Amino acid sequence: MESLHKLVAIIGPTAVGKTRLGIDIAKRFNGEVISGDSMQIYRGMDIGTAKVTKEEMDGIPHHLIDIRNPEERFSVADFQSLVEEKIAEISSRGKLPIIVGGTGLYIQSVLYEYEFSEAPADPSFREQLEKKAREEGNEAVHRELALLDPKAAEELHPNNVRRVIRALEIVTSTGRPLEESRNGSKPRQKYQSAVIGLTMDREKLYDRINRRVDQMVSEGLIDEVRDLYEQGLRDCQSIQAIGYKEIYEFLAGETALDAAIVNLKQNTRRYAKRQLTWFRNKMDVEWYDMTVEADHSKIFAEIFKYIEGKLQVKSNT
């Protein structure tokens, strides 16, 4: 185990407080942060992805933010490769790498030996499913996946059409569910890791999400999305992100602004629920409840102590 790089991963639902904790851990243990969010990689998508600001970074280096243009595709395998490079680079400088994010599959791909299926792409099959999604809605394609691979359907949101279609490609070409095609054996840990999970009373979390959305709107979310819309960006991976697709519907005249904001809040709450379910079912996590705001310093102290013991690292204080 000692030959493996040491790594901290901070996971949990949106709006629970991961960003602040990541920065505090980096200060305490001479670390650098790697974003584990699948949408913060995109330039020009700052407000809707709750991207950390320069002021919030407080001098702590952050990696894998603003590395792609919104029209570019970015896969889990791309993320896995880039993060592994960053972990090696940060570790080589005597720093502690800290992944902070809520995209479960992305984090899992880094922590565990996780082989991606070599099932070949089938352009005609893909085109057929894309047409079905356009004509009958994303849910129709997702229902097909649920019939063939219920577990994969649970993991994938219907609006993530690209990955739903890929999962259908894999199960139809290999005859095996997505999970088996990833790795037939129990995954092996690639790092000496401390995985910190933050959770919160659901009603309080939902209230924080609602207030965060209101704050995003007041900070200029509509204008941010309008800029992308007016650039002609359509049907690309980035625009499927929560916070963008809802406002796109408003800009396209498909819904009123108030309704778009209500949808955005609802979709974010649902996403937070799925995040918690994913992390609890997929990973070995040390959970901390952030419900009581006044006790955050006490909780952080417990987390620091856990990291010291788990990774055998010394703090700066």
Side-chain angles (χ1 to χ4, degrees), residues 20-298:
R20 178 185 156 198
L21 175 60
I23 291 164
D24 280 11
I25 290 174
K27 288 179 180 176
R28 183 99 177 192
F29 295 101
N30 191 28
E32 297 185 11
V33 172
I34 302 169
S35 170
D37 187 289
S38 62
M39 290 296 157
Q40 292 188 357
I41 61 160
Y42 291 114
R43 303 179 186 100
M45 298 176 65
D46 304 335
I47 299 170
T49 63
K51 204 173 284 178
V52 61
T53 65
K54 289 290 182 189
E55 292 74 26
E56 288 170 335
M57 288 181 191
D58 202 12
I60 298 297
H62 280 61
H63 305 275
L64 265 61
I65 293 174
D66 295 337
I67 61 169
R68 291 286 188 276
N69 291 323
E71 66 273 14
E72 295 181 76
R73 286 194 177 279
F74 189 76
S75 70
V76 188
D78 293 331
F79 176 83
Q80 184 187 53
S81 174
L82 286 173
V83 172
E84 287 173 355
E85 287 176 16
K86 281 294 172 191
I87 290 170
E89 176 204 316
I90 292 167
S91 300
S92 73
R93 291 189 269 105
K95 301 288 191 77
L96 178 66
I98 303 153
I99 301 180
V100 179
T103 307
L105 183 64
Y106 281 50
I107 307 295
Q108 189 185 39
S109 76
V110 171
L111 293 177
Y112 301 98
E113 204 65 64
Y114 184 75
E115 297 300 325
F116 292 94
S117 174
E118 295 300 321
D122 183 340
S124 60
F125 178 74
R126 186 173 293 180
E127 190 176 327
Q128 176 188 340
L129 289 173
E130 286 172 348
K131 183 181 179 187
K132 185 182 182 79
R134 285 194 303 271
E135 293 178 353
E136 301 177 36
N138 299 343
E139 292 281 358
V141 179
H142 191 263
R143 281 194 295 272
E144 282 198 29
L145 180 61
L147 289 171
L148 296 173
D149 189 349
K151 198 162 187 179
E154 278 183 25
E155 295 176 5
L156 299 174
H157 190 275
N159 288 337
N160 198 340
V161 181
R162 187 177 61 86
R163 284 190 51 224
V164 170
I165 290 173
R166 179 58 181 153
L168 276 165
E169 261 184 339
I170 290 168
V171 72
T172 54
S173 65
T174 66
R176 294 183 299 153
L178 185 64
E179 188 167 63
E180 281 184 26
S181 71
R182 287 172 181 160
N183 194 338
S185 58
K186 187 177 179 181
R188 180 180 65 83
Q189 288 200 18
K190 293 189 287 188
Y191 300 100
Q192 187 181 350
S193 58
V195 184
I196 311 296
L198 302 186
T199 186
M200 184 177 284
D201 170 78
R202 186 160 293 177
E203 288 307 311
K204 180 162 187 177
L205 179 65
Y206 287 176
D207 179 61
R208 282 171 68 108
I209 287 169
N210 291 339
R211 284 188 282 117
R212 176 186 269 194
V213 170
D214 289 336
Q215 184 180 347
M216 286 176 173
V217 171
S218 69
E219 288 176 354
L221 176 63
I222 312 303
D223 288 337
E224 177 174 279
V225 181
R226 185 179 283 112
D227 284 346
L228 299 170
Y229 187 85
E230 290 178 351
Q231 289 173 38
L233 290 171
R234 304 286 190 278
D235 302 320
C236 47
Q237 181 181 350
S238 61
I239 303 307
Q240 294 305 311
I242 295 171
Y244 294 85
K245 57 189 172 70
E246 296 87 357
I247 306 303
Y248 256 57
E249 289 170 3
F250 158 66
L251 295 171
E254 296 169 10
T255 186
L257 179 57
D258 287 351
I261 293 169
V262 168
N263 290 340
L264 170 49
K265 290 177 178 178
Q266 183 179 63
N267 289 338
T268 308
R269 293 193 302 268
R270 287 173 174 168
Y271 177 59
K273 184 179 178 182
R274 288 196 305 276
Q275 285 175 301
L276 277 170
T277 301
W278 171 281
F279 290 128
R280 285 185 171 133
N281 291 339
K282 297 286 184 181
M283 295 187 201
D284 181 18
V285 180
E286 190 75 13
W287 288 100
Y288 295 87
D289 193 330
M290 305 292 284
T291 301
V292 183
E293 298 239 11
D295 284 343
H296 281 188
S297 59
K298 182 181 175 184

